[in-house]
Amino acid sequence: MQFSTASQDLTDVRTGAHQQWDLELFSPAKINLFLRIMGKRPDNYHELASLFQTVGFGDNLYFAKLPEDARADAFTCTAPNVPSDKSNLVMKALDLFRAKTGTHQFFRVHLDKLIPAQAGMGGGSGDAATTLFAANELTGCPATPEQLVAWSGDLGSDITFFLSSGTCYCTGRGEVLHPQPNIQAYKKVWLIKPEEGLSTPMVFKHLDYNELSSEDPLELLKSFQDKGIEGATYLNDLEPPAFKALPMLKQMKQDMQAAGFKVVLMSGSGTTLFALGDPADRDWPIVFTRKWGCNIWRTEFINRPEGEHLWYRQERPYGAEHK
Ligand code: C5P
């Protein structure tokens, strides 16, 4: 296994006390290399066709099994705005895991939160998928990987993707997986996130069906297979509604293009923009943060190693590079 099941030490960020953990896992963020909205469904969700990719920027999760007589999970998080009650997707994932497997194991979980909320990077969804995986590993794998995939769709639309190998064409609400060969480990990936966030329902509310693109998503997928990362076609049908809800995002995108980036796209429902490559002007992050007050991270594409007991690994930790 790539992770250690030996106890890990971590100083509790709030109490300063030393904690022992059974399992420590990286929980990556995702970006959408393209995202087509194919229409509205009878259940009020939207039919998606999107190429998802995991990146080396993300959260860290720490898990410990509680004694047999424990009757509740204990959850802490470094981010004060993340709820620690049953509305948190980590807690929901643990409840779902117990309900489906019949196990009575409860856990202590600590979330070191780096992925911002309302960013379109699947932060909460990735944490939920990582939690399902961890709970299964720590209880002797009562569920198969296929069962975890099937159950995860009940928690939210993006969670299932994180149980793939990290490069996946997703349809349905986003929970139907069509695994793709891993994309080259592209290393020049920039994530640009303004302070302002947008909720997914809010972006869908601004969606004008007349503004949807008409590209065949399978052709978009083919452009990645045939032309590679730097020659592929990038588009996101949620950009127009997000730009309507938050006009500064459109200006930020234009600034990124003016700085020399050939690929700039909003991820998911925003408000993160991602850019690929390195423009000639190396000072752009300084200029950009001064003008827009955004966070900028430089990262890379990563994939989950092969093997059902292996999880994503961060090659090196990324902090905010500019702020
Ligand atoms: O499934 P999840 O909880 O992530 O979705 C959050 C919201 O985003 C939904 O309530 C819905 O408004 C919107 N959504 C959608 N179509 C999707 C995924 C999400 O309309 N495929």
Side-chain angles (χ1 to χ4, degrees), residues 12-230:
D12 186 294
V13 285
R14 296 184 312 175
T15 63
H18 234 49
Q19 306 256 355
Q20 293 286 314
W21 301 99
D22 298 323
L23 187 56
E24 174 187 345
L25 293 177
F26 174 61
S27 188
K30 61 83 177 165
I31 56 175
N32 301 81
L33 297 175
F34 66 79
L35 195 160
R36 284 278 291 106
I37 301 294
M38 308 306 288
K40 195 156 185 183
R41 304 164 22 137
D43 62 4
N44 274 332
Y45 278 86
H46 292 80
E47 189 70 20
L48 303 188
S50 177
L51 182 58
F52 284 61
Q53 174 64 50
T54 39
V55 295
F57 168 68
D59 298 337
N60 292 295
L61 276 155
Y62 302 83
F63 300 89
K65 289 206 282 185
L66 287 172
E68 270 175 25
D69 58 351
R71 285 293 162 264
D73 298 306
F75 177 76
T76 53
C77 179
T78 51
N81 57 340
V82 171
S84 56
D85 60 9
K86 290 280 179 196
S87 66
N88 190 291
L89 274 174
V90 166
M91 302 289 266
K92 286 186 184 175
L94 292 174
D95 280 344
L96 179 84
F97 179 77
R98 277 186 295 266
K100 294 286 190 184
T101 60
T103 171
H104 297 294
Q105 180 66 55
F106 287 83
F107 299 88
R108 187 157 52 83
V109 184
H110 178 70
L111 170 58
D112 179 14
K113 190 80 200 150
L114 293 167
I115 307 172
Q118 301 200 329
M121 291 198 276
S125 301
D127 295 338
T130 303
T131 300
L132 283 178
F133 174 81
N136 198 37
E137 292 294 320
L138 288 173
T139 53
C141 297
T144 63
E146 292 74 22
Q147 283 175 312
L148 294 183
V149 163
W151 301 339
S152 62
D154 292 352
L155 285 174
S157 304
D158 285 353
I159 297 169
T160 316
F161 157 71
F162 288 96
L163 295 166
S164 75
S165 73
T167 304
C168 213
Y169 175 58
C170 301
T171 56
R173 285 187 292 123
E175 89 291 14
V176 181
L177 305 182
H178 310 265
Q180 301 298 308
N182 294 347
I183 294 178
Q184 65 180 102
Y186 191 81
K187 291 192 183 299
K188 300 177 207 164
V189 181
W190 297 89
L191 305 171
I192 304 101
K193 168 75 179 71
E195 288 294 330
E196 293 81 351
L198 285 173
S199 76
T200 306
M202 161 72 100
V203 173
F204 276 110
K205 227 166 70 190
H206 283 80
L207 185 65
D208 177 349
Y209 293 93
N210 297 316
E211 283 181 0
L212 292 177
S213 60
S214 55
E215 271 82 349
D216 179 348
L218 291 175
E219 286 299 318
L220 295 173
L221 191 57
K222 199 165 173 302
S223 81
F224 280 85
Q225 289 155 353
D226 294 351
K227 298 181 186 159
I229 280 300
E230 285 178 355

